[in-house]
Amino acid sequence: MDHEAAAVAATAALTAAHPHLKRVAAPHPALEGCDDVEWASVPGCPVDVPAVLRGLLDPDAAESAERVLVRVVMSGPMSVSAAMPAVVPHLLRLTADPSVPRRAELLVILLVAAALSAPTDPGNAWHLAIGGLEQDHPERARCRAAFAAGAVWVRRLLADEELLAGAGLDADDRQSLADAAGLRDA
């Protein structure tokens, strides 16, 4: 099964188990604009991403929604999918909300996105072997742009010591998040 088919199947299973996620309820501020994204136009992206994101708010569905989200936003073990840049703004806001279940796990997803969206050093053979050429992965630049646009949320996350401790982030992890958002003084 290819990545796209796996993401679609996982999303379908989540919405079958939690059909209320398909219905648009009173929107959470973190999901503002989520239903306006043309998810179907994002390569390899299931159209039910809003349901997956709503699932992150539901204590009964949050763990399953988190697993599905990882399938949607990761195109492989060492690469973000084309959906990640569109998900980052919502994920930043969700993770910053103390009432959202599994915040520490969501922060780890953001950390992975930050690390994997870092520019590849073309002079470093190891970086090229792992990450490939920058021009072959436009989703990385779009992720960095999404982090930069959400820099205020990244600052909030970096100031949330309880969340950072719960996710087990060290100084390098914090710097990776700051770098992804273009924050030099964080």
Side-chain angles (χ1 to χ4, degrees):
M1 184 180 286
D2 66 16
H3 168 75
E4 181 178 354
V8 169
T11 302
L14 175 69
T15 57
H18 303 279
H20 64 283
L21 298 177
K22 289 190 74 97
R23 294 186 297 275
V24 178
H28 186 281
L31 300 183
E32 184 177 320
C34 179
D35 290 309
D36 300 330
V37 174
E38 293 291 329
W39 296 104
S41 69
V42 176
C45 182
V47 294
D48 286 338
V49 173
V52 174
L53 294 173
R54 283 191 291 276
L56 297 172
L57 294 163
D58 182 325
D60 295 328
E63 185 175 354
S64 297
E66 175 210 335
R67 283 193 307 269
V68 172
L69 180 68
V70 169
R71 284 194 176 268
V72 170
V73 298
M74 299 300 295
S75 61
M78 296 297 290
S79 59
V80 295
S81 75
M84 181 65 90
V87 169
V88 165
H90 307 293
L91 199 52
L92 286 169
R93 295 189 303 254
L94 284 167
T95 306
D97 181 345
S99 71
V100 172
R102 304 187 63 77
R103 289 176 60 213
E105 292 82 0
L106 298 180
L107 182 60
V108 170
I109 294 170
L110 285 167
L111 177 62
V112 169
L116 293 177
S117 65
T120 302
D121 177 1
N124 185 316
W126 175 250
H127 285 175
L128 286 175
I130 297 294
L133 296 170
E134 191 72 10
Q135 66 263 24
D136 293 340
H137 299 280
E139 66 279 0
R140 294 194 304 228
R142 289 194 298 271
C143 269
R144 292 191 301 273
F147 275 107
V152 65
W153 296 104
V154 173
R155 282 190 191 282
R156 286 185 189 182
L157 295 176
L158 291 171
D160 188 334
E161 291 300 328
E162 181 180 333
L163 174 62
L164 296 174
L169 270 63
D170 63 20
D172 288 339
D173 296 331
R174 293 173 191 219
Q175 190 60 53
S176 180
L177 279 173
D179 290 346
L183 302 173
R184 302 294 174 230
D185 58 347

